Amino acid sequence: MKAFFRYLTTLLLLSMIGIVVLIAQKINSNTPNDLSGYIPSDAIFSIRIDGKTFVLETINAFLNAEDQSEIDEISEMISENRQEDGETGIDVLNEVVIFSFPIKETELNGFLFHISNDEQFDKYRLVLQKKGIGSATNDDLGIIILNNKQKQFDAETLSLQASQILFAKPKKDNPPVKEELQIELSKGIERLNGTLLQGKITMQPIGSEVIIGGSVELNTIPRTKNLKCITGNDLKMDIPAFSNAISDSVTEILRSFDLDAYHLSGLSVNYRGLTIEEVPGLKLQPDFDALLYFETETNVDSLRKDLLELNDQFLLTVKGFNYGNARYFMRQVDDRTIYIGRSPFKETLLEDRDENLVFEIDGKLQYLTALQGDGMMRKFVELLSLYSASKNFTNSTESIHYRIMRNSEDSGTIDGKIIFKNERTVHMSLIHFLLQSKLID
């Protein structure tokens, strides 16, 4: 029986190599990546994915993978998630662009792509039309436009809009993009999501790292005099000053707790995970040390008193409060800065920060999904596919280093990297996450 399975495995491997050769021939065709020129000039955001490079690197990762069990696991998930609706005729092994654009006081999302089979895509367009989705073609290029949540447009109107985009004279001044992933946020992003900043981000997987670069506009983020931040090597996030939109959102959140008298303007936190305590009552206990920055003078005793009124399970202590088995400490650092955390306060918890730092996240992503607890709630959360996939993905990484530095009053530079563990490549980890989380079918 073992000999039979070895024979079967060899046969399947030879078949896989044959498929890979065919795919490689398809990928290595000279189809140009020219979709960026069709993105509407008033687009709110666009995301360009180099499918050709991604698939080649993924194939390479499979062929060089040392862990057969991981290949088997991914192959099984692909089988479970395989579509049964037939081929779409979309060339997923080429460039794909996702974008959003404004129309009649709302926003629509579109997809630009190359077509691999005209006949299959024509059949697929009929399926899309029945679902109220617009589409258009121009030679080997295709576009799909989704309706918005309000369902204000029919498929014919969306298809007309799609044709206008695809048959417009493409912009030729776009420089070639070398990175596998490029995200461009235009000025209109402030209307769609005010917490996002206008700018351009590129991501390029190289070996076991994802190199991140780009630029961002900072005209909505004020300079700050907060030059002390929390120290730590767990998962540290540093935001010296909130943007105007984030400040408004934070104020709304605080208002819902009757804490809008406190004007939080920034924070610095070192995070270590979450514990779920269920007896005698459900309690979510984050493990962190943090500095809270306020716009005006804020007294730690007043803040602690108001916090205790939010939950009758908060118990006052001399230096902070207890929440179930978790003990939190609070301390006045200066007239506008308050410390709160699980560690007793001491000066060594603080360090100096560069005055030009706008945002930083540094440390181990595993702490984002670190979950402790002995009850049923933790076990239930771990059964959720998105959480399980996220945990496996963060555990496949070694560290993240990402920062935005101000280089002028109105602009900044993005610089960072995500480092993966040696035994898993970037592409294998991403494919595993997308399949396990059910984010793709």
Side-chain angles (χ1 to χ4, degrees):
M1 183 66 70
K2 291 183 178 179
F4 170 76
F5 279 113
R6 281 198 295 268
Y7 172 77
L8 181 60
T9 301
T10 302
L11 196 61
L12 290 174
L13 180 59
L14 290 173
S15 300
M16 178 181 174
I17 292 175
I19 294 173
V20 167
V21 171
L22 293 175
I23 293 177
Q25 290 176 347
K26 170 67 178 175
I27 292 174
N28 287 324
S29 62
N30 294 321
T31 305
N33 287 343
D34 54 2
L35 297 180
S36 297
Y38 291 91
I39 299 174
S41 57
D42 59 348
I44 299 171
F45 72 83
S46 64
I47 303 173
R48 177 194 173 276
I49 304 170
D50 184 354
K52 180 182 296 186
T53 303
F54 180 83
V55 173
L56 275 175
E57 292 296 334
T58 303
I59 291 174
N60 183 62
F62 267 98
L63 294 179
N64 289 283
E66 298 179 357
D67 189 351
Q68 179 64 37
S69 64
E70 183 172 54
I71 295 178
D72 294 340
E73 183 181 358
I74 291 178
S75 299
E76 183 178 352
M77 285 190 290
I78 290 174
S79 299
E80 292 175 353
N81 287 275
R82 184 177 292 131
Q83 292 183 356
E84 299 179 355
D85 298 331
E87 298 293 335
T88 63
I90 297 175
D91 187 359
V92 295
L93 304 182
N94 215 311
E95 180 188 26
V96 177
V97 173
I98 305 168
F99 64 95
S100 175
F101 65 100
I103 178 174
K104 296 182 179 179
E105 298 182 352
T106 188
E107 293 83 25
L108 296 177
N109 294 321
F111 300 85
L112 283 161
F113 47 84
H114 293 270
I115 298 174
S116 59
N117 187 301
D118 294 333
E119 184 177 348
Q120 287 177 345
F121 186 68
D122 286 341
K123 293 179 180 179
Y124 186 54
R125 289 186 65 186
L126 296 177
V127 176
L128 294 175
Q129 186 175 10
K130 292 179 181 179
K131 295 181 179 181
I133 299 173
S135 62
T137 61
N138 183 3
D139 294 331
D140 69 332
L141 302 182
I143 183 173
I144 292 174
I145 295 183
L146 304 178
N147 218 327
N148 60 8
K149 295 180 180 179
Q150 287 73 33
K151 295 286 185 181
Q152 294 182 356
F153 306 98
D154 55 34
E156 289 75 16
T157 302
L158 295 176
S159 295
L160 177 61
Q161 185 67 41
S163 296
Q164 292 175 350
I165 293 174
L166 203 55
F167 283 88
K169 186 176 181 180
K171 302 186 291 293
K172 298 295 184 181
D173 56 347
N174 285 7
V177 179
K178 299 180 180 179
E179 289 78 12
E180 285 189 30
L181 177 65
Q182 175 178 293
I183 303 172
E184 187 163 354
L185 305 177
S186 302
K187 189 173 183 179
I189 195 68
E190 297 174 5
R191 182 177 69 254
L192 186 64
N193 188 331
T195 62
L196 298 176
L197 300 173
Q198 181 178 352
K200 182 180 294 185
I201 304 172
T202 60
M203 298 183 185
Q204 179 62 39
I206 300 177
S208 61
E209 300 180 355
V210 175
I211 307 301
I212 307 172
S215 59
V216 64
E217 293 192 8
L218 303 175
N219 52 346
T220 62
I221 299 182
R223 281 191 175 272
T224 177
K225 295 181 180 180
N226 298 322
L227 300 182
K228 288 289 185 181
C229 63
I230 205 74
T231 188
N233 54 7
D234 300 305
L235 183 61
K236 178 180 173 182
M237 184 171 65
D238 212 356
I239 312 177
F242 291 149
S243 68
N244 298 336
I246 292 180
S247 292
D248 293 341
S249 298
V250 170
T251 299
E252 286 300 315
I253 295 173
L254 293 176
R255 181 175 290 114
S256 64
F257 295 101
D258 293 326
L259 294 174
D260 50 306
Y262 298 95
H263 302 289
L264 189 66
S265 62
L267 63 85
S268 177
V269 58
N270 183 42
Y271 183 73
R272 293 179 289 267
L274 179 70
T275 297
I276 301 179
E277 186 178 315
E278 298 186 41
V279 179
L282 181 64
K283 292 177 280 292
L284 304 180
Q285 302 159 330
D287 185 4
F288 68 93
D289 301 322
L291 292 181
L292 306 180
Y293 310 117
F294 297 91
E295 292 181 9
T296 58
E297 292 186 9
T298 302
N299 182 268
V300 64
D301 293 328
S302 298
L303 177 60
R304 183 171 57 168
K305 176 178 177 296
D306 289 337
L307 286 176
L308 293 177
E309 292 180 357
L310 295 178
N311 193 325
D312 57 10
Q313 296 188 64
F314 290 166
L315 300 178
L316 181 67
T317 64
V318 176
K319 296 183 178 181
F321 62 92
N322 291 343
Y323 183 35
N325 292 324
R327 187 177 185 183
Y328 292 88
F329 299 88
M330 299 184 70
R331 175 71 174 267
Q332 189 91 39
V333 177
D334 60 42
D335 58 357
R336 298 188 183 187
T337 306
I338 291 176
Y339 168 82
I340 180 172
R342 297 289 296 275
S343 303
F345 179 81
K346 50 187 176 181
E347 291 295 330
T348 54
L349 285 173
L350 309 181
E351 64 181 9
D352 295 330
R353 96 155 46 90
D354 191 315
E355 64 179 359
N356 291 314
L357 181 71
V358 175
F359 176 85
E360 181 178 33
I361 181 168
D362 187 87
K364 297 182 181 297
L365 284 173
Q366 294 95 310
Y367 290 109
L368 278 179
T369 54
L371 190 61
Q372 304 294 327
D374 299 323
M376 290 298 298
M377 183 58 69
R378 180 187 66 82
K379 296 177 181 178
F380 172 75
V381 172
E382 290 181 338
L383 290 176
L384 300 177
S385 59
L386 183 57
Y387 170 79
S388 178
S390 300
K391 183 176 181 179
N392 286 338
F393 180 78
T394 58
N395 285 344
S396 73
T397 65
E398 184 65 40
S399 60
I400 182 173
H401 312 276
Y402 178 91
R403 62 166 51 187
I404 301 175
M405 298 294 293
R406 187 184 297 273
N407 53 31
S408 71
E409 288 301 315
D410 299 325
S411 65
T413 301
I414 298 172
D415 177 57
K417 66 173 64 174
I418 302 175
I419 303 175
F420 286 74
K421 294 179 179 177
N422 293 330
E423 65 266 22
R424 301 192 66 178
T425 69
V426 175
H427 295 84
M428 291 283 277
S429 298
L430 182 57
I431 288 294
H432 195 281
F433 169 73
L434 292 174
L435 291 171
Q436 186 181 9
S437 65
K438 310 295 184 182
L439 292 178
I440 62 174
D441 294 324

